[in-house]
Amino acid sequence: MKKIGRNKPCPCGSGKKYKHCCFKKDNYLKNLPDDALKRLKGEFSKYDQKDLIKTLSALSICPENQSQQILIEIATQIACSNINCGNKIITLHELNELFLKYLPSEGPIGSLEDPSDNLFTNNISFFKNNIIFTGPSTSEYYILQKILNCIHFNSSSFSEKYLNNFYQNSMFILSLSDYVAKKTGHDRYEIYEDRFMQEIFFPNIHELNALKKSVTLNVNELKEFKDFLNIDKNIGKDFIIEVGDDNFNSILLVENKFKEENNFKDSFSKTIRYSESVDDNPLLTSPLIKIEDNYIIFPPSLPISLRHNILSSIVKFNEKNNFINNYQKKL
C-alpha cells in the first residue's frame, strides 16, 4: 500500500488532512499487538469498573453501534473479567483511544462483524408487545417467537412445573428488554443507517449518562420490578453473573492459545465467533452483570439468553421430546 503523506487529504474522504483524521487509527492498526486483549484488560483495571461497564452497556444500545456489537461485547467481557480496579472515571476520549489501540474496527475482531441487515429493534408478542434489541443476529427474534409460541399454544402437553418456570422467566426477560427500550426512547421496528467497519460511536455525555442510568438497576429496584410483574423473587438468577467470574476470561484463554502461531490474527478471526457461541461469551446467557449492589443490563443479549434458558430448561425438566414433537408440527 502506498504511503500517505501526513499533510495529504485523508483517503477516507472527510476533507481533512491525513494527520488530523485517520493517521492515528491506521498507526494503531499497523502496530496492533498479538496480546491486545490482555493489554486492554490491564488498561481497564485502572478505571472504575462499575462506571466502565455501565458505559459499555450504554454504547451497545446506541443505534449507530449496531454493526459494532461484537467489539462492544468483547470489551464488556474484558471489563467484567477484572477483580481489583482503580477508581478513576474513564473519559470518552480515553475509551475511544483504547478501542482504537486494542479493538479497532479493521482489526481481527472487528472483522467478525457483519453489515447490519436487520432492524435495530423488533417485537416479541407474548401476552403483550415487547420491544427487543436485535443485536448482531438476523433471526434471533424469529426463532425466539417460534419457541415461545410452540410452548404457549401447546401448554397442555407440558408439566405445570416446567410451565411455571417458562412463563416467569419469559415475562421477566421480555419485560426487562421492553423497560430498557422504552426508557431510552426506542420503539419497535426501528431501522438506522449502517456504519459497518466504522469505529465505535460515542454520544454526548448527557445522552450517555441517560443511557447508563437506563441499563442499571439496584437491588431494591430489581425487587420492585419483579413485584410489579408478580413473579417469584428467585426468578432471574439464571441470568445473573458477577464481575470477576472466571467465565469472562474465556476470550483471553483463546488469545493465549493462538499467540504462538505465525498467523495469529487470521487464526483468531476464523476460530472465534462470539456472537454465536455461548461457551465463548457468558453475556449471551447471563446479560445481568452484578457489581456491588447494582445489576447492569446488557440489552442486546437479553433475547438470546432467554432462548438459551428456555431450551436448557426443557432438558432440565425432561420435556425435550415433548418440545421437539410440538415444534416439528409448527414447521
Side-chain angles (χ1 to χ4, degrees):
M1 181 178 178
K2 186 178 179 181
K3 186 176 180 180
I4 306 168
R6 287 168 54 88
N7 291 309
K8 295 290 185 180
C10 187
C12 76
S14 66
K16 300 178 182 178
K17 290 184 178 180
Y18 181 53
K19 65 181 180 182
H20 295 313
C21 193
C22 293
F23 172 76
K24 180 187 289 187
K25 179 184 77 171
D26 291 348
N27 190 52
Y28 278 146
L29 184 61
K30 180 181 177 182
N31 297 290
L32 184 66
D34 284 347
D35 59 348
L37 301 184
K38 181 179 179 181
R39 296 192 188 195
L40 181 60
K41 179 183 172 82
E43 293 285 353
F44 276 172
S45 69
K46 301 174 184 177
Y47 298 98
D48 182 281
Q49 189 178 29
K50 182 161 60 175
D51 181 76
L52 174 59
I53 297 170
K54 286 182 183 180
T55 298
L56 291 168
S57 184
L59 292 176
S60 77
I61 52 173
C62 289
E64 296 86 351
N65 289 327
Q66 189 176 5
S67 291
Q68 287 75 30
Q69 285 295 313
I70 297 176
L71 292 173
I72 296 173
E73 280 180 3
I74 292 177
T76 305
Q77 188 174 343
I78 293 171
C80 291
S81 71
N82 281 316
I83 298 175
N84 299 312
C85 297
N87 54 17
K88 181 183 177 183
I89 301 298
I90 195 167
T91 67
L92 296 186
H93 173 74
E94 289 169 333
L95 185 54
N96 182 50
E97 286 288 306
L98 291 177
F99 267 109
L100 290 175
K101 194 172 183 178
Y102 300 115
L103 280 173
S105 64
E106 296 182 29
I109 294 175
S111 68
L112 300 178
E113 304 278 11
D114 288 319
S116 175
D117 59 356
N118 57 321
L119 300 172
F120 177 64
T121 58
N122 216 306
N123 180 67
I124 293 289
S125 179
F126 191 69
F127 290 100
K128 67 180 185 68
N129 290 318
N130 301 276
I131 303 169
I132 63 165
F133 296 92
T134 57
S137 174
T138 58
S139 59
E140 183 59 44
Y141 80 94
Y142 176 77
I143 297 171
L144 178 57
Q145 184 70 76
K146 295 283 282 187
I147 291 172
L148 291 167
N149 290 347
C150 172
I151 298 172
H152 177 60
F153 292 120
N154 295 281
S155 59
S156 60
S157 65
F158 292 91
S159 69
E160 184 177 343
K161 191 173 182 180
Y162 171 71
L163 288 174
N164 182 58
N165 179 276
F166 162 73
Y167 281 120
Q168 294 204 56
N169 276 320
S170 299
M171 287 176 61
F172 174 65
I173 290 298
L174 293 175
S175 296
L176 196 59
S177 179
D178 193 62
Y179 163 82
V180 173
K182 289 177 177 175
K183 197 166 183 180
T184 52
H186 290 293
D187 203 350
R188 50 185 171 162
Y189 309 130
E190 290 183 345
I191 188 168
Y192 293 87
E193 182 179 352
D194 188 27
R195 295 180 62 254
F196 178 59
M197 292 305 291
Q198 296 186 45
E199 302 302 333
I200 301 294
F201 168 82
F202 294 89
N204 65 55
I205 193 65
H206 299 295
E207 293 173 342
L208 181 65
N209 286 337
L211 290 172
K212 287 161 69 173
K213 187 175 181 180
S214 299
V215 298
T216 308
L217 294 173
N218 62 37
V219 172
N220 291 330
E221 289 170 334
L222 185 61
K223 181 181 180 302
E224 291 173 0
F225 187 81
K226 291 180 183 179
D227 289 343
F228 175 77
L229 295 175
N230 194 29
I231 60 177
D232 189 271
K233 65 179 181 179
N234 292 315
I235 288 296
K237 288 186 176 181
D238 292 342
F239 303 96
I240 295 171
I241 187 168
E242 294 198 29
V243 293
D245 190 295
D246 193 51
N247 286 315
F248 283 121
N249 286 307
S250 60
I251 187 173
L252 298 174
L253 296 176
V254 172
E255 185 177 49
N256 290 335
K257 178 180 177 181
F258 291 103
K259 190 190 301 183
E260 303 301 324
E261 295 192 11
N262 293 329
N263 202 359
F264 165 76
K265 294 182 178 63
D266 285 345
S267 299
F268 189 73
S269 297
K270 293 175 181 177
T271 303
I272 302 305
R273 293 293 181 269
Y274 294 93
S275 62
E276 302 169 2
S277 174
V278 296
D279 294 324
D280 297 318
N281 185 357
L283 292 176
L284 297 182
T285 54
S286 307
L288 274 70
I289 305 160
K290 189 175 189 304
I291 178 167
E292 299 171 4
D293 63 344
N294 281 195
Y295 295 92
I296 304 171
I297 308 161
F298 197 80
S301 294
L302 289 171
I304 193 172
S305 72
L306 178 57
R307 174 169 62 86
H308 182 269
N309 178 269
I310 292 172
L311 295 180
S312 60
S313 295
I314 284 170
V315 176
K316 177 182 176 182
F317 288 92
N318 297 315
E319 297 281 3
K320 181 178 177 181
N321 291 334
N322 188 19
F323 172 77
I324 291 174
N325 290 335
N326 283 302
Y327 194 78
Q328 287 178 335
K329 293 176 184 177
K330 290 285 184 180
L331 297 179

